[in-house]
């Protein structure tokens, strides 16, 4: 097994990120359809590269893919990195408009790293804000990080957006998040990555 950190830079350098994204999307949609047929409703998140964000062929291709799979709404959420989104606002707005028609949700990944993150919220009409793991990791020891996370969650609630805390790796971090207003958590403390979708959320 080759981790993404090893092959993704090579794929980007070779101009293959669009192909990688589409491969992932095809397999994600297939998995979601299989789970639906098995009576399990899932919302699967897929990271999108800058190349795919700017690709005008993505939306019609994705429309045809979902139509063929007969996938229901709100089963798929696409993630765009905050830095990529802020550098491609025009392309992002086009993507958001298309995703709404396809009833696909959008998440801004690694949110809160930019100094002007509150101003960026005016341009990011996203359903989810995935708060940067750098802030979440620092929340145990940094008052500034705690205040920044609380500011993000407060503004997100005002704007009707859901927040996800990345990199929740231990109980102390989770304890700090209880009063922050975060809606969801993601990280190894909940479950480490695996090759199958066998997590039982009802156990929590």
């Amino acid at each position: 097994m080759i981790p993404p950190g090893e092959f993704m830079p090579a794929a980007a350098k070779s101009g293959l990120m669009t192909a990688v994204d589409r491969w992932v999307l095809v397999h994600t949609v297939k998995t979601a359809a299989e789970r639906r047929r098995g009576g399990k409703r899932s919302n699967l998140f897929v990271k999108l590269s800058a190349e795919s964000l700017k690709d005008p062929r993505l939306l019609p291709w994705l429309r045809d893919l979902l139509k063929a799979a007969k996938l229901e709404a709100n089963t798929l959420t696409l993630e765009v990195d905050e830095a990529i989104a802020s550098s491609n606002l025009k392309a992002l707005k086009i993507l958001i408009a298309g995703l709404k028609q396809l009833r696909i949700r959008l998440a801004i990944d690694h949110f809160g790293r930019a100094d002007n993150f509150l101003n960026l919220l005016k341009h990011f009409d996203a359903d989810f804000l995935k708060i940067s793991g750098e802030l979440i990791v620092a929340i145990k020891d940094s008052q500034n990080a705690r205040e920044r996370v609380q500011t993000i969650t407060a503004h997100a609630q005002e704007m009707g957006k859901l927040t996800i805390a990345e990199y929740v790796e231990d109980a102390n971090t989770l304890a700090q998040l209880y009063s922050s207003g975060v809606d969801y958590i993601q990280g190894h403390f909940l479950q480490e990555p695996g090759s199958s979708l066998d997590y039982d959320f009802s156990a929590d």
Side-chain angles (χ1 to χ4, degrees), residues 108-166:
I108 300 299
D109 197 17
H110 305 310
F111 186 78
R113 291 185 301 185
D115 292 333
N116 62 335
F117 69 94
L118 289 180
N119 185 53
L120 290 175
L121 277 176
K122 300 175 184 177
H123 304 283
F124 295 165
D125 187 15
D127 301 281
F128 298 94
L129 299 176
K130 297 187 70 175
I131 303 172
S132 171
E134 296 174 7
L135 290 173
I136 301 304
V137 169
I139 202 172
K140 294 180 293 184
D141 306 309
S142 169
Q143 179 66 24
N144 181 60
R146 287 192 290 272
E147 291 176 354
R148 198 175 181 95
V149 169
Q150 289 174 347
T151 298
I152 292 172
T153 56
H155 280 78
Q157 289 171 358
E158 289 177 7
M159 301 177 74
K161 304 180 188 301
L162 296 171
T163 50
I164 303 172
E166 302 178 317

Side-chain angles (χ1 to χ4, degrees), residues 2 5 35 48 50 63 73 95 103 106 113 153 160 171 180 185 187 195:
I2 304 173
R35 288 178 65 81
L48 205 62
R63 178 199 60 210
L95 177 69
R103 295 185 295 176
L106 177 73
R113 291 185 301 185
T153 56
S180 68
I185 64 169
S195 58

Side-chain angles (χ1 to χ4, degrees), residues 15-190:
L16 295 173
M17 281 309 304
T18 299
V20 171
D21 285 349
R22 292 197 181 194
W23 184 92
V24 173
L25 283 165
V26 166
H27 285 268
T28 301
V29 167
K30 179 182 177 181
T31 299
E34 290 173 349
R35 288 178 65 81
R36 185 196 61 193
R37 287 193 293 269
K40 297 179 180 179
R41 300 187 63 181
S42 303
N43 179 14
L44 303 181
F45 285 63
V46 178
K47 295 182 184 294
L48 205 62
S49 68
E51 289 78 7
S52 288
L53 172 62
K54 296 180 286 186
D55 183 3
R57 299 164 298 179
L58 175 68
L59 286 170
W61 175 85
L62 193 53
R63 178 199 60 210
D64 293 342
L65 176 65
L66 295 174
K67 185 178 180 180
K70 298 180 181 179
L71 204 61
E72 62 186 17
N74 297 331
T75 306
L76 186 64
T77 298
L78 298 187
E79 297 183 29
V80 178
D81 183 89
E82 178 191 69
I84 293 174
S86 60
S87 300
N88 299 276
L89 288 177
K90 184 177 180 180
L92 180 68
K93 289 180 180 179
I94 293 173
L95 177 69
I96 290 173
L99 293 181
K100 287 185 181 299
Q101 292 183 358
L102 296 174
R103 295 185 295 176
I104 296 174
R105 292 189 280 192
L106 177 73
I108 300 299
D109 197 17
H110 305 310
F111 186 78
R113 291 185 301 185
D115 292 333
N116 62 335
F117 69 94
L118 289 180
N119 185 53
L120 290 175
L121 277 176
K122 300 175 184 177
H123 304 283
F124 295 165
D125 187 15
D127 301 281
F128 298 94
L129 299 176
K130 297 187 70 175
I131 303 172
S132 171
E134 296 174 7
L135 290 173
I136 301 304
V137 169
I139 202 172
K140 294 180 293 184
D141 306 309
S142 169
Q143 179 66 24
N144 181 60
R146 287 192 290 272
E147 291 176 354
R148 198 175 181 95
V149 169
Q150 289 174 347
T151 298
I152 292 172
T153 56
H155 280 78
Q157 289 171 358
E158 289 177 7
M159 301 177 74
K161 304 180 188 301
L162 296 171
T163 50
I164 303 172
E166 302 178 317
Y167 288 48
V168 179
E169 307 296 295
D170 53 61
N172 289 336
T173 300
L174 183 60
Q176 290 290 340
L177 288 170
Y178 273 129
S179 60
S180 68
V182 168
D183 296 294
Y184 299 102
I185 64 169
Q186 173 185 326
H188 289 192
F189 183 69
L190 183 65

Side-chain angles (χ1 to χ4, degrees), residues 168 186-194 196-201:
V168 179
Q186 173 185 326
H188 289 192
F189 183 69
L190 183 65
Q191 184 182 26
E192 294 188 8
S196 61
L197 298 176
D198 56 358
Y199 187 79
D200 182 9
F201 288 97

